[in-house]
Amino acid sequence: MKTTQLRQYVIIDGLYEEFVAWWQETMPVLRPAMGFIVEFAYGSPESNEFTWAVSVPGDVAEFERVDAAYKVSPERAAVFDGLPDRVASMRLSFVETY
């Protein structure tokens, strides 16, 4: 069993390429080191949309436990330190595979 979270972002106009470059450099390394599996990432430069998914083995409670630890970790703080906000809006949801 695994729990997957779909993460849908709209990136601020003019910052899409910068965001994607940062994401590609950091998230595929950081998230697995913190207990997540990066399932996929897709982007649409024309609409400034970036969608990706992460999962954790286990149920929603386990995902939330791993996510809570990630959010307060010094590793996460280091990759976000000094970065401007590049996400105009974000939608997070748990999804299922059929």
Side-chain angles (χ1 to χ4, degrees), residues 55-78:
S55 66
V56 169
D59 61 11
V60 171
E62 178 62 9
F63 186 100
E64 290 173 344
R65 185 194 69 73
V66 171
D67 196 46
Y70 165 74
K71 287 177 180 172
V72 298
S73 71
E75 294 87 350
R76 181 186 183 275

Side-chain angles (χ1 to χ4, degrees), residues 27-40:
M27 290 298 118
V29 175
L30 177 62
R31 285 290 188 139
M34 301 300 298
F36 296 91
I37 298 164
V38 176
E39 297 288 341
F40 64 81

